[in-house]
Amino acid sequence: MSGMSISGVGAAYPQPGTTGSSQSNTTPQESTSGLSPASVKETEQKTLQEMLQEAREKAQQRRDALKLKTPKRYGDAPMEAYARLSRARTVADVSSAAGYARRRIIQLKAAKRQDSENAGQIQAAINQLQKAVGRAGKKRRDLEREKLSEARRLKLERENKTRQAQRLKQELTRKKTMRMIRERGYLREAEIDNRLQAQLAETRMELRAQAQALSDALTPSVDAAMQQYAAQTAPAPAAPSGGEISVQA
């Protein structure tokens, strides 16, 4: 018998009950919006690029959150207030120093609401300025009493009461000396407090730097992770399918 060849049997003579079976057996990948393999691959690449960009943005935001900032010198305000108070020689000068302290208190309270990271340092400066306002009131009263004592001493001298005038002068000198020593102590106190707050701020900066270094060390490379993900999710090549059946006899 001569050789017999049957080609495309399924296509030429469909079996009963198999009408439309090829449509029902169509895979989801082949029916996805009618996209070609090149279009599907391009869409996957765009999706990976978007994920990569999003991961980079999140990493940058984390680094910005841990970024070191130059500490502000909030402690300079109390030292300046006490320096002005120490230089004051009249009641008007004392009032001016107290006014400076009150203005800085208002400014620091506003800064505290905006700079929450340095809230402790700002509050310490506010406390020192409030003390400066109270001590300015005490110095004002001391100057007024010294002025009255000086007027009384001059009156005693005019009345030739030399001994009493001399005694009053010595008492007045002693009070002025004690007041000046006390005012230098105020300035020294503000300086020590400022130095302490600066050390605390530096410690917080070091801890923030260590946290940033630890985060950078533990965070894997985003590019490498995304490349690994792309390699794992790459579609496998499709197996070739035969289109005809050949039967040789």
Side-chain angles (χ1 to χ4, degrees):
M1 180 183 290
S2 59
M4 180 178 61
S5 175
I6 302 175
S7 301
V9 175
Y13 300 97
Q15 297 294 329
T18 60
T19 304
S21 60
S22 61
Q23 296 178 358
S24 61
N25 292 333
T26 303
T27 59
Q29 295 180 354
E30 295 175 352
S31 62
T32 304
S33 303
L35 296 176
S36 63
S39 300
V40 174
K41 185 176 180 181
E42 183 179 357
T43 303
E44 291 179 353
Q45 289 178 353
K46 290 182 178 180
T47 304
L48 291 175
Q49 291 176 359
E50 293 175 356
M51 295 174 63
L52 179 61
Q53 182 64 25
E54 183 179 357
R56 286 173 177 172
E57 291 176 356
K58 290 182 179 180
Q60 184 63 34
Q61 291 176 0
R62 184 167 58 251
R63 286 192 294 268
D64 292 341
L66 296 174
K67 189 176 181 181
L68 298 180
K69 298 180 180 179
T70 304
K72 297 182 179 179
R73 299 174 60 87
Y74 293 109
D76 290 347
M79 294 183 64
E80 177 63 22
Y82 281 118
R84 295 189 180 194
L85 184 61
S86 179
R87 293 193 302 265
R89 294 292 179 264
T90 63
V91 175
D93 294 340
V94 174
S95 299
S96 177
Y100 170 81
R102 292 190 184 95
R103 290 192 301 272
R104 293 311 305 267
I105 288 173
I106 296 173
Q107 294 173 359
L108 289 177
K109 286 182 178 180
K112 184 180 178 181
R113 292 191 293 268
Q114 299 175 359
D115 189 2
S116 58
E117 295 182 358
N118 297 314
Q121 187 178 1
I122 296 173
Q123 186 59 48
I126 292 174
N127 295 338
Q128 285 291 335
L129 288 170
Q130 290 174 343
K131 289 182 180 180
V133 173
R135 289 164 176 172
K138 176 176 175 55
K139 182 170 183 177
R140 187 184 299 110
R141 293 189 296 270
D142 291 341
L143 290 177
E144 291 174 351
R145 284 193 293 265
E146 291 173 5
K147 186 177 180 180
L148 292 175
S149 298
E150 181 66 18
R152 189 164 59 253
R153 186 187 67 80
L154 294 175
K155 182 180 179 180
L156 291 174
E157 287 183 352
R158 287 194 299 268
E159 295 176 353
N160 293 326
K161 297 180 179 179
T162 307
R163 182 175 298 179
Q164 295 179 5
Q166 187 67 24
R167 189 185 309 115
L168 187 58
K169 182 179 181 180
Q170 292 176 355
E171 182 67 18
L172 185 59
T173 302
R174 185 185 65 83
K175 289 182 178 180
K176 287 182 178 180
T177 303
M178 295 299 297
R179 176 173 55 78
M180 294 175 63
I181 295 174
R182 186 170 60 248
E183 290 171 359
R184 285 197 293 267
Y186 295 158
L187 188 59
R188 181 63 176 170
E189 176 187 340
E191 181 181 357
I192 293 174
D193 186 71
N194 185 24
R195 189 177 303 172
L196 176 62
Q197 295 300 325
Q199 290 177 354
L200 292 175
E202 184 178 356
T203 302
R204 286 193 293 266
M205 288 180 59
E206 291 178 356
L207 293 176
R208 195 177 297 117
Q210 293 176 3
Q212 180 177 353
L214 182 62
S215 176
D216 294 340
L218 296 179
T219 302
S221 174
V222 179
D223 295 338
M226 295 306 300
Q227 290 176 2
Q228 183 179 3
Y229 173 79
Q232 293 176 354
T233 57
S241 58
E244 62 180 18
I245 301 175
S246 179
V247 178
Q248 299 288 339

